[in-house]
Amino acid sequence: MSIFGSMTTAVLGLNAQSKALGHISDNIANSSTIGYKRVDSAFETMVLQSSQRLHEPGGVTAQPVFMNNIQGSLTQVQSPTNIAIQGQGFFSVSKVNTQGSSTLVQTQTGTVSASAAYYTRAGDFELDKSRYLVNSAGYALNGWVVDPVTGVLQKDKVAPIQVNSLIDKPVATSTIDLSANLPATPKAGEKVPDSSIQIFDSQGNPRTVNFKWRQQADSSWRMVLDAPGSSTKPVDGTFNGNPATVTFGQNIAGQTAVAQVNVITISGNNTNGQDNLRIGDTYTVKVDSTSYSLKVTAANIGSIRTYSGLASALANQINSASPAASVLATSSGQTIRVTARDAGTAFKLNTEVAAGTNTVNTIVSQTSTAATATAGEIDKFQFPQTQVEIGDSFTIDVNGTPISYTVTAASYQSYPTVSDVVSQLAGKINQTLGSSVTASAAGNILSIQSNTANTNVTTTATATNSATGANSMSSLPSVASVAGVRQSRTVTLTGTPGDIGTQYTLSINGTAVTYSTTGDEMTMEDITAALANKINSNTSLPVTATAQGGVITVTSKTAASPAYTNTMTEDAAGVITLGGDTVDVGDTYSVTVGGVTHSLALTNANYDTYNTPAKVMQYFATQIGGGASATGAVLTTGVAGSTGDVTDATAQQFTLDQSAVAGQTPAHIGLTFGKTPETVGTLTNISTALVGTGTAVSAATQSAGADATVTFTVDYGFGPQQVTLNLGKYQQPGGLTQYAGEEINVTQLVQNGAPRGQFKDVVFGDNGNVLVNYDNGRSKVVAKVPIITFNNPNALHRESGGVFLESEDAGKPNFNDPETNGAGAVVANSVESSNVDIADEFTKMIVTQRSYSANAKIVTTSDEMLQEVLGLKR
């Protein structure tokens, strides 16, 4: 090989490395281009002549190697219209400005517009102004389009995907799926809440279907389907109702309440005509847990004075108490009559006397002063005690004349001490014997002096003390408390809750009260409570009513015995006889004697005093006076022509009458749940025998595992619309069940209808479907993206915008469903990055640079060698 040949080879090397650097440069520049496929370099040797004896290198050439089949990494993005291919294959795309071309290109799976013969991995598609899906390079995505009339995917041709389905036509509801658990033991007296679902008619108008529930027995329910606005009803009409009765139970007669009466007696001694009240004595009456006390003091003994006064003061103490005592007190002599304020309310009464200190007084004679020529004799007496008691009496005998002073309650307030007694005695002596003697007091010393000189005075002194025994109070009940009993009677109602118009009537003393059922009552207790409320709302009735279960208790408002009939008969001699064994509160008795009428009206306040015929006649004997007397129920007036009259109390009792009229059972669908271990809680039967004129029809086959459905027809003015209600499967859990619980639990209530929808957005499914979402919640498939594969994808021709063209070496395009026949999968919300590895490209660039430099060195070396050859001539 000549020097010129070496230089030519080096130049070819420089040219090949330049091409390789161009490939590297292109790769690095497009490292961020979506869907870009890198180009590698392949170097090929050019040999002019080569043998074992002779070799003449021809140089090298660089050819591009396309990496179209190498997967780039996938990056997730937010745009719902961006897609990528995971695996082999390409998207079919078209130039936007040539989409109207009608020239077709035959493929292995159909025809495609000639203008659409582009393929790409750049899937960053977005809707353009014409609603085509166009990527960033301006190419529109091609796909199989769904026929808008038939809804069938047309896979015999490929066309640009244009989203024109902006309105979703309404879909009439045809099925309703219901899954719920009905409570085995609903809350007593509480209505199971209705369920409802919105459905749609053929015009897309929203309609409502209501589900009304009622438990009829342990495992039996009524279901009522209500479709407001429909001219046909799922259930409609009524049937003859179930029997209803009203029966009377126990009747408890009333009894008038009687007030308890206790009589308190104050007992004590009387000395010298004085009741022995002592200073410091405390008298207490205890009613239940409240005590009423009165203490005798020097300040109040003058107003009390006697045992009768003490009784009156204690009665006033009780009556004036605040808060008011539960009893009333009256006094008569030494007794206090304590009466319950409320008849029939018993009380407990105790009495107590706490005695004060008792003083025993004495009189002690002192040494006399003898008479003199100028003065008479002086006798002195000492009173050693300081306290005196009511009834104490002190007597001084002077020259045969006794002078006495007795301590009384009236005087005690003014003269409460021994000194006062001495002073009073001195005054009385002077008043009585002042002409012969003179008495003087000095503290507790009494002096008596004869008024005549040289004359003696004869005196003696005695003290009579009040009795030392303590006073007492005793209490005995004179009238026992009798609790009032109000007449009551029980009434039992029977019937079937849920029936409409069942009438239950109770007549109280001839006044009828009627309740008509509405069908919303859940139990008989609801019905009895409603009738009881109607009775109580009529305040003119003499009764009140309470309800429990199916029983009403009617009770008189007042506690009173039945009114008894009494008579008064008289004879010519003025003897009047009261006939009857019992007198009543409210009775009025009158007796006329000599033209004067005496009356007695029995009230709760005085009934305990006059609660027998004998006591009533004794009252009249006392009022008439004179010779009138009473023996038992016979009054003898002693006046001919005397008459008696009785006005009996009005009866407080009530009478009851009853009646019941059966109502109507509303149309409904019957549901029965299993009770055996195998079927417990599951739906075993649906009956539409009582839907009346409604359109509901249950499934013909109701064996285990069969569909539990009810089909009904509604008509909202656009023709009949059939709806199938799916309640699960017979004898299997799921769907409609009845297990333990107190409340209904709806887990699923859905329907398949939809109103008219407006375009919301377009998205891709992972299976390549192009979905249009509407604001009514529905989605529609408008096209499907095929994945195009080639036998030799690396032989495709490239064009600007990241697209490829079919070539003879690549083979014909194959249009495939995603993930079939070796085609990759469509990944939504993702784009494919370029498959360029920057690090690898930089490594290749270094190698290319060094190779280029080496080839350049061959050129310079060849030049130097030629210089040597040219220098040989010199």
Side-chain angles (χ1 to χ4, degrees), residues 91 200 506:
F91 298 119
F200 297 93
L506 281 180

Side-chain angles (χ1 to χ4, degrees), residues 143-146 153-155 157-158 782-784 786 815-817:
W144 296 313
V145 180
V146 173
L153 187 66
Q154 297 174 307
K155 300 184 73 172
K157 64 179 180 179
V158 179
V782 296
K784 188 170 185 176
F815 286 68
N816 309 285
D817 285 294

Side-chain angles (χ1 to χ4, degrees), residues 842-862:
F842 271 104
T843 300
K844 291 191 291 185
M845 183 170 61
I846 292 170
V847 173
T848 301
Q849 180 185 12
R850 294 304 180 192
S851 297
Y852 189 90
S853 298
N855 281 287
K857 189 64 175 177
I858 293 175
V859 174
T860 56
T861 302
S862 298

